[in-house]
Amino acid sequence: MEVAIESSWKQELNDEFEKPYFKQIVHFLKEEKKAGKVIYPPGKQIFNAFEYTPFDKVKVVIIGQDPYHNPGQAHGLSFSVPDGVAPPPSLVNIFKELRDDLEIPIPNTGNLEKWAKQGVLLLNASLTVVASTPMSHSGIGWHIFTDEVIKHISNDKSNVVFLLWGKFAQNKEALIDTAKHKVLKAAHPSPLSAYNGFFGCRHFSKANAWLREAGEKPVDWSVG
């Protein structure tokens, strides 16, 4: 089955696209569209995280749960929104922690493409969602696929930093070889939990310290 995904990922994940669960995802999405449902992000942006961050460039992974479900927000990168769209509350808190950690001024855009182009894989566990219906596609097979993505990174790369924010993301630690990679855990940046350990986690400076130690180029965490 032909899947439009960046070439290095296509090679790495080739077997997944032929598996029954992935074919079922494709069939399900087609049926949803036929039924008139609005799905985010738009079709060409579903694999944007892979497009912006080829497999051989991955140095940091930030795991989100679900794409944004309001119009114009989701564009295939976890926590990110396109230029001109107001940053949602969790992203605002991410920017506050960046300011406190690295003295990076809060930006006027929520577009994190600059991170992605430097090797920060902004991966949602589900890659699609129905408009106005959070978690609506969490049971269609995406979690199988994105768990495989994490396993491939863990098995076939070294010295990657995984930023696991909140219990959902932290459950993915079981997929990661912590002898080869660095796992940093904190509360989710949501306003409901950010004060329980996200603020003050200093994950951005810690990630860069680990990358330098491993001989990798640190990430410029400024945005825009």
Side-chain angles (χ1 to χ4, degrees):
M1 186 174 63
E2 195 65 25
V3 174
I5 193 170
E6 188 275 335
S7 58
S8 66
W9 283 107
K10 189 165 208 167
Q11 189 173 347
E12 186 70 22
L13 300 170
N14 199 39
D15 292 348
E16 294 307 307
F17 303 129
E18 297 303 324
K19 289 180 180 175
Y21 84 85
F22 196 90
K23 293 179 179 180
Q24 181 56 37
I25 293 172
V26 174
H27 175 74
F28 185 90
L29 293 176
K30 285 177 179 172
E31 291 300 309
E32 291 272 87
K33 287 193 171 181
K34 272 189 207 164
K37 292 187 181 177
V38 175
I39 294 171
Y40 299 135
K44 288 184 178 174
Q45 297 179 353
I46 289 172
F47 293 109
N48 256 4
F50 306 92
E51 209 60 45
Y52 282 104
T53 314
F55 182 78
D56 57 326
K57 303 285 188 197
V58 175
K59 59 172 75 170
V60 177
V61 180
I62 299 179
I63 298 172
Q65 194 161 357
D66 206 33
Y68 295 124
H69 56 268
N70 292 327
Q73 289 183 318
H75 66 141
L77 306 175
S78 64
F79 293 103
S80 179
V81 290
D83 290 323
V85 176
S90 290
L91 186 53
V92 170
N93 285 340
I94 289 169
F95 290 154
K96 286 178 181 175
E97 176 59 23
L98 261 179
R99 176 195 62 197
D100 296 345
D101 185 8
L102 292 171
E103 299 182 357
I104 292 173
I106 291 179
N108 56 13
T109 178
N111 191 330
L112 304 180
E113 288 174 9
K114 182 178 172 186
W115 293 4
K117 288 173 181 174
Q118 295 178 77
V120 180
L121 182 68
L122 297 165
L123 180 69
N124 277 318
S126 293
L127 298 188
T128 56
V129 70
V130 175
S132 306
T133 317
M135 303 302 292
S136 45
H137 284 175
S138 62
I140 72 169
W142 280 130
H143 287 196
I144 304 171
F145 177 70
T146 52
D147 280 359
E148 287 298 325
V149 170
I150 295 166
K151 286 182 201 168
H152 276 261
I153 294 168
S154 178
N155 293 340
D156 297 345
K157 294 185 69 71
S158 300
N159 302 321
V160 174
V161 183
F162 290 83
L163 305 185
L164 307 183
W165 298 335
K167 284 201 173 82
F168 177 86
Q170 287 165 18
N171 286 337
K172 305 296 182 184
E173 185 177 13
L175 307 172
I176 301 163
D177 182 350
T178 54
K180 292 168 61 185
H181 305 286
K182 182 69 172 174
V183 173
L184 296 172
K185 295 184 281 190
H188 194 277
S190 156
L192 299 173
S193 56
Y195 287 96
N196 294 332
F198 179 76
F199 290 138
C201 71
R202 300 183 67 84
H203 275 188
F204 305 102
S205 59
K206 287 176 181 176
N208 276 354
W210 170 265
L211 290 170
R212 284 192 193 97
E213 207 176 287
E216 301 284 347
K217 187 178 176 185
V219 176
D220 173 4
W221 291 107
S222 64
V223 176

